[in-house]
Amino acid sequence: MTKTGFVIANLFRKKTRTVLTLLSVIMAFLLFGLLQAVNVMFNAGSDFVGATRVVTQARVSFTQSLPLRILPEIEAVPGVDKVMFQQWFGGVYGENTQMFTFAVEPARLHAVYPEYVMDDAAWTNFGKTRTGAIVGRTLANQYNWKVGDKLPLKSNIFPQKNGSKEWAFDIVGIYDGKDEQWQRQTNAIFINFEYFNEANQFGSGAAGIYVLKLANSDVGQSVTEAIDKKYENSPDETKSQTEKDWQAGFVKQIGDVGLLVRWILFAVFFTLLLVVGNTMAQSVRERIPELAVLKTLGFSDGSVLGFVMAEAVALCAIGGLIGMGLATLLGIVIQKLAGAFLPISVDSSVWTTALIAIALLSVVVGLLPALRAQRLKIVDALAGR
């Protein structure tokens, strides 16, 4: 029998116990994969947007709009290259499907967010079409939208001047992201601000936030300080911060997802540690005479330690890999069903974290039983002491 076969045979000598323990490991890593993917999704925006943009909002809350008359003043701040503004539309598609919808000036969006990729003709049509709208590739694929379609949306925030909450837009373009990370951000709808500003019943001449593209990342602090100081003690007090910090703060208004995920995973893995650790300890106790016989046959203390550690690694690795595989498949299913609103992906970063967790779990649950087997005295073991 090979050493690998010996390890596997010992691992499955108590089949029921091993299978139940494996199921515990599989479920733990299934949960780990999905929760970690959710954590990555919520932090994706703040992880890669960098510090080349600054977001300015009302000091009280981003839900309070700022007047458009301050636009030239913000553009004149040293270090500011380009400025765009946007207003949250609160779009609803169909019966009650919430859509991330923003009213923007097309040219300014294109200038400040070159990461959104679309052909020049579509950008031109977006600017020329009063009722124009562009949709992200993720949404377009989910709802089978194409250029030329009519897009009916409701808004519970901004009714039209005639009192109707029903709006209709013409899809003039479908935008993509410049890379895989930005492609995940193609889950929003942008409508023409000029039409929105003229047609809505109230709130004209204002924007929810201003996004400033900086000349370089080194001027971020000076720009934020200059803007906030300019409007200090005025009716339009502002709060400016880098886009990375703003997005992180926006997510935390929903809740500290990272902290929540960490506590859930801590509870899961602490329980798993007790379950797998108890399995390994019991397995070694049952085989004390057999381990003594191995040493009698000439196997070194290090070899016996290696056998026990190999069992722990095999148990955690088999269960962990199966669990992560199921999490990956389930993540694909969720992404297809939820689409733009829960674009989770059990990607390489999640797998890397999982492999580290598997390695650490193997060491923690296997080390003490392995050390006990290594220190085992042949005479005491065979004598039953």
Side-chain angles (χ1 to χ4, degrees), residues 76-82 213-216 219 222-223:
V77 173
V80 175
D81 183 20
K82 296 177 177 65
K213 187 177 181 182
L214 307 178
N216 60 75
V219 300
S222 63
V223 167

Side-chain angles (χ1 to χ4, degrees), residues 97-353:
T97 303
Q98 302 293 322
M99 292 286 175
F100 299 116
T101 311
F102 304 92
V104 299
E105 274 198 2
R108 291 182 181 274
L109 173 68
H110 189 26
V112 174
Y113 281 97
E115 294 89 350
Y116 291 139
V117 180
M118 193 168 61
D119 61 79
D120 292 339
W123 283 112
T124 302
N125 288 336
F126 187 26
K128 290 181 177 180
T129 307
R130 185 169 175 269
T131 57
I134 60 173
V135 299
R137 181 68 63 183
T138 302
L139 285 175
N141 291 342
Q142 182 178 357
Y143 294 100
N144 296 316
W145 291 338
K146 60 185 182 298
V147 174
D149 286 351
K150 282 285 185 182
L151 177 60
L153 290 178
K154 301 174 187 175
S155 177
N156 294 324
I157 303 175
F158 296 102
Q160 296 188 60
K161 288 181 178 178
N162 60 11
S164 173
K165 295 181 179 180
E166 306 283 343
W167 294 71
F169 301 96
D170 298 291
I171 298 178
V172 296
I174 298 173
Y175 66 89
D176 291 285
K178 70 170 186 176
D179 54 29
E180 183 180 352
Q181 287 179 313
W182 277 97
Q183 191 68 20
R184 293 178 189 169
Q185 308 303 309
T186 58
N187 57 352
I189 300 170
F190 295 104
I191 61 175
N192 197 315
F193 184 87
E194 183 179 359
Y195 170 52
F196 163 80
N197 194 47
E198 292 175 356
N200 83 81
Q201 193 176 79
F202 59 88
S204 298
I209 63 171
Y210 290 84
V211 184
L212 292 55
K213 187 177 181 182
L214 307 178
N216 60 75
S217 58
D218 297 331
V219 300
Q221 185 173 354
S222 63
V223 167
T224 58
E225 290 176 353
I227 293 174
D228 291 345
K229 186 176 181 180
K230 183 177 183 64
Y231 298 104
E232 191 175 10
N233 298 322
S234 75
D236 305 312
E237 282 193 293
T238 61
K239 178 182 178 182
S240 302
Q241 52 193 327
T242 64
E243 186 181 25
K244 181 176 181 179
D245 292 337
W246 186 84
Q247 291 206 25
F250 181 82
V251 169
K252 286 187 177 180
Q253 293 189 52
I254 302 173
D256 193 339
V257 178
L259 180 63
L260 181 63
V261 167
R262 285 192 293 272
W263 275 109
I264 293 174
L265 291 179
F266 173 78
V268 170
F269 277 94
F270 180 75
T271 305
L272 184 66
L273 179 66
L274 296 179
V275 172
V276 181
N278 179 67
T279 298
M280 290 304 304
Q282 189 173 352
S283 176
V284 170
R285 282 197 302 270
E286 292 172 351
R287 290 184 289 133
I288 285 178
E290 297 175 21
L291 296 174
V293 171
L294 286 178
K295 291 188 176 185
T296 303
L297 294 174
F299 286 92
S300 65
D301 290 344
S303 296
V304 174
L305 180 144
F307 284 138
V308 177
M309 283 299 300
E311 289 180 36
V313 171
L315 184 63
C316 295
I318 293 171
L321 293 176
I322 293 175
M324 286 301 298
L326 292 175
T328 303
L329 294 175
L330 191 55
I332 294 172
V333 172
I334 293 173
Q335 195 172 39
K336 287 184 177 180
L337 294 177
F341 304 100
L342 195 60
I344 67 171
S345 174
V346 185
D347 57 15
S348 58
S349 63
V350 178
W351 269 91
T352 300
T353 308

